[in-house]
Amino acid sequence: MMGLALLANSAQAVELPRVFADGMVLQRDQPLPVWGRAAPGAQVRVDFAGKQATAKADANGDWRAELPALSAGGPYTLRVDDKAAPAQLSDVYVGEVWLASGQSNMEWPLAQTDGAEAAIAAANDPLIRHFKIPKSWSGAPQWQLEGGTWLPANPKNAAEFSAVAYYFAQQLRARTGVAVGIIDSTWGGSTIEAWTDAANQGLDNAALAAQAAALRASDTQALQQTHANLARWPQLPADASQWQRTELDEAEWADISAPGLWETQGWNGMDGVAWYRTSFQLTADEAAKGVTLGVGRIDDTDTTWVNGQQVGETKLQYNLARRYAVPASALHAGLNHVAVRVQDFGGGGGIHGAPSEVFVQPNGAAERPLQGWKFRVERAQVALVDDKNQHPTLLFNAMIHPLQDYALRGVIWYQGESNANTLPQAQKYRQQFPALIAQWRKQWHAPTLPFLWVQLAPFSSGADQRDADDVAIESPWALLRESQSATLSVPATAQAVITDVGNLENIHPGNKRTVGERLALAARRQVYGETTLLASGPVHAGLEVRGSSVLVSFEPGAGALQVSGGGALKGFEVAGDDGHFHPAQARIEGDKVVLQSAAVTHPRAARYGWSDTVQGANLAGGTGLPASPFRSEP
């Protein structure tokens, strides 16, 4: 890929949006907007695949033309001529274009998923193309993206593709036989507010711009501090091959508190690799019995040693408290040394969590806090962008608005984890999500632009509350799933349910293939005309009380009800007038599920999979697709 090729030199060269570049994919069967900037008053001609369009730049130099709808094909050359410095783009195809957006589970690269090695080696389809928009933010809507390059799927490139989007594109390639382009506009940890424009959130544009300016000023100051701190080690990256040793000169190491993300302690904006060291005392008897070592929650990956012996390693689980069993063979009476190598790939970094999670516990004794930590950086990249994903509108302005109405077939969306921390957040999502869809459709001048999303996977978030019988009292994740499902009332939408492919201990499940394939199923039915395709599992349609039993009915289109994996049907609960839910015995009778509970003689309500973890829920449709969690009344 050569990028934009300017065929002549000029002080006022024609400028195109960065998404218009070599290797791009344009949407088939739709009019194709092309826009850019040139000298004020310039006459601009666009030539592509034997078609032409013309436009005149206004007083600000902005121009816009529209090519007629074209059938799939390519490769073509797109030429934009302003009579001064024309631009020519090569290897352009007409096919299917989808925008993939959301937070980390959509951003998650193929290289970090289940079966990555084989998938990357097999990625040899030059007509699957991926355009990654870099993380960027702005206090005002931007005309131009900060960067991005169209890359074909091959073993060199595919490792960094959005895994969900890649598997989705694979299915569409097989279904359509045409080029598939994915525009990847994602940011891990982002809230829905960050992707929504100011007007929809009642925000004042001037105040938002002022806030953004203040953020940039604060960032400048924080980065100066980080660079000053890093200056104590002029040789970075450093040789850290011996930093786990028992005896080590720590004179050049910095003091640091643990737990506490390093960003909060003078290292803001730093990603990379850093080490923590501390020590603890043991008696001979304690050393002979072994200990349990708690080194807190580590963002993102750690390798941990005691006295130079590796005792644990956890990869890419930023919110999991590490507890490692340390054998007597690694210990001795007196002073014992701990070394923790932390790899941070973005966002917060280092040891965090509750103080009680950082400890040493001799077997048979109480936990003792680990204190007196030392810190040293092995290698670092410094850029302050990571916290901007929590601010309203900043990502929309820089990562969505510049796309304007670049012709799309539809949008795939995987986001919500960052809005599921509290019940009010999850409830508010019910209004926010349809509002975002409506706003994006307005930007694209496409009232029925297909919008497909992934329902939240099961995860032990720690945000839910459960009673003595392990029944959920409150579950923000369940409520957010309900908010997602409620958005199906918006036309031209669909939802991929993945309650069977989550990882309770990892907010980033490794199985992204199934997620992409289920989104593709939804697209095939919703967008590509396969109306008889079973693209969804059972969806709750109604409830009927008969004496002490509850009959749950489901919408048509999921096939015969079945128990996933066989055995007893689980995951259902019923409640009476007191609103307190109890586990229910459930059985399938034809196209309904019958529920009963000895604890509820006069049932009034039912729910299914209503917890953060969707524990035990195993109802499926005729093709094995899982049922969507629900409750019969709020």
Side-chain angles (χ1 to χ4, degrees), residues 31-49:
L32 298 173
V34 182
W35 65 94
R37 288 177 172 171
Q43 294 290 336
V44 180
R45 171 169 164 159
V46 180
D47 289 273
F48 182 69

Side-chain angles (χ1 to χ4, degrees), residues 34-163:
V34 182
W35 65 94
R37 288 177 172 171
Q43 294 290 336
V44 180
R45 171 169 164 159
V46 180
D47 289 273
F48 182 69
K51 307 295 182 182
Q52 297 83 35
T54 60
K56 181 179 179 180
D58 65 16
N60 295 318
D62 295 318
W63 59 267
R64 179 184 181 82
E66 188 173 279
L67 292 164
L70 295 167
S71 300
Y76 300 117
T77 296
L78 176 71
R79 181 182 171 87
V80 181
D81 190 354
D82 67 343
K83 308 300 183 183
Q88 185 165 299
L89 310 179
S90 62
D91 193 33
V92 178
Y93 276 80
V94 179
E96 293 293 291
V97 183
W98 285 80
L99 171 60
S101 191
Q103 59 183 106
S104 54
N105 273 308
M106 182 64 85
E107 182 184 19
W108 210 249
L110 187 62
Q112 296 179 25
T113 62
D114 295 346
E117 185 176 352
I120 293 167
N124 283 300
D125 189 341
L127 293 188
I128 292 177
R129 300 188 175 186
H130 184 272
F131 183 91
K132 173 63 175 174
I133 297 174
K135 292 179 181 177
S136 42
W137 62 280
S138 175
Q142 297 298 293
W143 180 85
Q144 184 63 285
L145 295 168
E146 284 201 7
T149 303
W150 284 98
L151 297 174
N154 59 41
K156 177 183 176 181
N157 299 327
E160 298 306 314
F161 285 11
S162 158

Side-chain angles (χ1 to χ4, degrees), residues 581-623:
F581 281 90
H582 299 268
Q585 291 74 49
R587 67 182 187 277
I588 296 171
E589 288 192 2
D591 60 354
K592 293 180 173 57
V593 170
V594 180
L595 308 177
Q596 290 180 315
S597 173
V600 184
T601 55
H602 299 288
R604 186 190 71 180
R607 66 188 190 185
Y608 170 75
W610 195 262
S611 68
D612 289 11
T613 62
V614 198
Q615 198 164 5
N618 61 356
L619 179 65
T623 59

